[in-house]
Each structure stands twice: as structure tokens, then as C-alpha cells.
Amino acid sequence: MAHQHRHQPQHTQEHIQDHAHAHAHGDIDFGTMIPMLEGQARLFAPLYADALAWLSRQQPEPGLIVDAGSGPGIISGYFAEAFPEARIVAADASAALLERARENAERLGNADRFSTVEAELPNGLGELEYPADLVWSSRVVHHVGDQRAGLIALAAVLAPGGTLAVMEGGLPERNLPRDLGFGRPGLETRMDLIEQTWFSEMRTTLPGHVRETEDWPALLTAAGLRPSGTRSFVLDLPAPLADEARAYVIGVFDRRRSMFGEELDAEDRATLDRLLDPDDKASLHHRPDVFVLAAHTLYTATKPGE
Ligand SMILES: C[S@@+](CC[C@H](N)C(=O)[O-])C[C@H]1O[C@@H](n2cnc3c(N)ncnc32)[C@H](O)[C@@H]1O
């Protein structure tokens, strides 16, 4: 069931790393993740700018853009800025995040061409005013039990000739040198392995979970679309980091500590605790060598018919 909300200015009351929340879908409360999602989307602005520039060459003048799984709508705002003539619809399963997205649209002065739809994939996005010329979905489809059905639902709202852009996968992010000067070198690689296991287990708990070969162009083809491109976009913030970027990295490591710190061996857990200790000069709070290097992959496909 999808509910569409026109933006109503009179109702403007105030609600890794995205797997930071919990151990199962039922436990993930995306609504509590507003500061993290917003901080990350802001830090990653240069990456989204590159991705949107690439997309705008495929869809130069979209009339209606859907940001599916918009979260708090920071990325919806980037679309509104990059495509000043377009209407933007933010769709999400979380009413709290959509409320925040409406506040953000208001703050940016985009409210007159912005609306929201409460919808849970893989169910449809409901009746949009028009078919969409561009549907963007970043880091959402992997939260849907049946990813193939999720893509079919996203493809269903596209106009003929419209583009679906799905951001999924890429490379594990790196924030530290291999050897930190203490502990066993290679901590981040070992945390990636644990996170992969955690992630696979999280997926099996999603409603209607189907194991799928995550060949995104093949899945987009199965959804009736024609793959039109695959490109990875990089965020490269070298050390020394500005305060916001450092705070982001501390947040990423802090969530890892609470999510799966107990699964690390004792030496790695001690290393992680040192990294998170604000009183330790070698921690993430003080060390000069912290950086952000991330690569996210965008898959695009168009709906035949034009
Ligand atoms: C990791 S956040 C990504 C937010 C934003 N797209 C970004 O890239 O920063 C995942 C978002 O997907 C939404 N979501 C998760 N499962 C969903 C589902 N089955 N249907 C619709 N939205 C869903 C969550 O509420 C959350 O806003």
C-alpha cells in the first residue's frame, strides 16, 4: 500500500555504512538514523555530483524524478538542484524519514516541486502523478528481501525511455593505513569479512528473502529494462580530514564496534577500542592519517518503448 503526501507547508513539524543499525530487518529503525544518513549524504556530495552529472547525460531533462528509498532526502535535494525543472518524489518505507525529507525540501526552497510517497518495496510505489523519467535508488534494494521483485517495482513507474539508476556495491571503504602502528596490521580487511557475514545473515531475515546472483545488469534486464551503463564513483578525501569527515569515520567505527565488535578476536577488539578512545592520542579522534576512500557503483537501465 502506498500513500502519497502532497507537501503541506502548514504541517512542518519536526524525526557503512548504512548497515549500522541492527541485526535483522525487523530491528532496523531507519528513522533513528537521520543524523548518520544526513551526515553521510552531505560528506559524499562530491560523489553524488559526479554520479548526477553522468546521469544527466543519459536523461538531460527529466520531468519527474523518483528517489526510491530516499531516507531523509539529502540526495533528493541534490536532484532538485541538478534538475531545476524537474518534480521530485521521495519514496520510502519510513514515514519519519519522509517527514524529514519534506522538512529538508522546505529548507532548500524546493517544496513546491517536491512530494513524498510512503511505500514499501517490493510492493509498488503507488499511483504517481506521471510516469517517471528517472528513478534513483541508492543503497536500498539490498534491504529488500526479493531484490528482483524490488527492481520490477521500480521499473514499473518508469515512462518509456525513462532510466532506472541503482547504486549498489562497489568497494569496501578504507579509512586507515594498513599498519596503524599498534595491533595486528589489516584490521579493516578483517572487519570487512565479519561485516559480509553479518550482511548475508541480515538479508536472510528480510521478509520474502530470495537469494539472488547480484548481477545487477542481468536483474535489470529481467525487470524488462535495457542496461545502459555501469560506472563507479569515488569519494577521495585524503588525510588530514576536516572535522565533519573525521566525525563520520568515528561514527562508522563506533557502529562497527556495537554491531560486531564481540566477533573480533581480543587483539583486534582492543585495537578498535583504542581507535575509539578520545583520550588516546593514537585514536581516530586525534591521529593525522585518517582518510575516506570510497567507491560506489551505479547501474543504469532504460525502459524500452521510445
Ligand atoms: C541506507 S538508507 C539509504 C538512504 C539514501 N538512499 C542514501 O543513499 O543515503 C536505506 C533507505 O531505504 C529505506 N528502505 C529500506 N527498506 C525499504 C523497503 N523495503 N521499501 C522502501 N524503502 C526501504 C529505508 O527506510 C532507508 O531510508
Side-chain angles (χ1 to χ4, degrees):
M1 215 7 215
H3 312 277
Q4 185 158 12
H5 301 280
R6 296 267 110 237
H7 179 76
Q8 293 174 312
Q10 67 270 31
H11 294 156
T12 51
Q13 73 273 32
E14 307 289 308
H15 169 31
I16 325 43
Q17 299 289 318
D18 58 299
H19 314 123
H21 7 295
H23 295 270
H25 175 266
D27 298 340
I28 298 181
D29 181 358
F30 286 103
T32 62
M33 293 163 59
I34 287 175
M36 194 269 286
L37 290 171
E38 291 192 343
Q40 185 176 31
R42 291 206 169 95
L43 192 70
F44 278 65
L47 181 149
Y48 294 120
D50 290 347
L52 267 60
W54 184 63
L55 274 183
S56 71
R57 292 197 283 279
Q58 295 191 37
Q59 282 294 335
E61 289 179 352
L64 184 77
I65 299 172
V66 177
D67 181 1
S70 62
I74 301 297
I75 301 169
S76 313
Y78 298 153
F79 275 95
E81 194 185 343
F83 300 101
E85 303 301 321
R87 290 197 61 78
I88 315 284
V89 176
D92 204 282
S94 161
L97 287 172
L98 290 176
E99 188 179 325
R100 182 65 175 179
R102 287 192 291 276
E103 288 168 10
N104 278 324
E106 174 100 340
R107 184 177 49 78
L108 294 170
N110 298 325
D112 56 336
R113 55 194 178 95
F114 179 82
S115 57
T116 59
V117 179
E118 190 178 331
E120 176 135 14
L121 293 167
N123 303 329
L125 295 184
E127 286 295 307
L128 301 178
E129 242 173 300
Y130 314 97
D133 304 299
L134 185 53
V135 175
W136 162 273
S137 193
S138 54
R139 307 184 302 135
V140 175
V141 175
H142 65 252
H143 290 293
V144 180
D146 186 341
Q147 299 181 103
R148 179 184 293 256
L151 292 177
I152 289 170
L154 295 177
V157 300
L158 276 179
T163 298
L164 174 57
V166 177
M167 190 167 261
E168 287 293 337
L171 292 173
E173 185 174 319
R174 285 288 171 268
N175 304 113
L176 284 167
R178 184 191 65 92
D179 191 338
L180 309 174
F182 59 92
R184 192 153 54 103
L187 173 69
E188 286 186 291
T189 311
R190 291 188 295 284
M191 289 199 296
D192 289 343
L193 277 175
I194 294 175
E195 190 162 11
Q196 275 304 313
T197 305
W198 174 87
F199 180 77
S200 299
E201 283 169 7
M202 180 280 289
R203 279 211 43 80
T204 64
T205 69
L206 293 172
H209 169 253
V210 180
R211 185 173 167 185
E212 194 70 74
T213 305
E214 287 165 351
D215 174 345
W216 298 104
L219 290 171
L220 290 165
T221 303
L225 305 178
R226 282 198 203 110
S228 50
T230 299
R231 191 156 152 194
S232 295
F233 295 91
V234 168
L235 180 71
D236 181 9
L237 303 178
L241 288 182
D243 289 350
E244 317 81 69
R246 184 183 290 276
Y248 158 79
V249 175
I250 293 168
V252 168
F253 277 68
D254 196 43
R255 285 189 296 277
R256 286 183 180 150
R257 178 69 179 90
S258 45
M259 280 163 63
F260 51 70
E262 296 313 311
E263 290 165 52
L264 292 167
D265 68 26
E267 185 180 2
D268 280 347
R269 196 159 52 247
T271 304
L272 185 51
D273 285 342
R274 267 197 83 176
L275 284 170
L276 287 168
D277 179 358
D279 295 328
D280 192 322
K281 286 290 166 225
S283 76
L284 294 169
H285 296 265
H286 304 288
R287 49 189 307 133
D289 55 3
V290 185
F291 58 91
V292 178
L293 180 59
H296 292 182
T297 305
L298 188 60
Y299 299 89
T300 59
T302 56
K303 188 160 191 156
E306 250 187 13

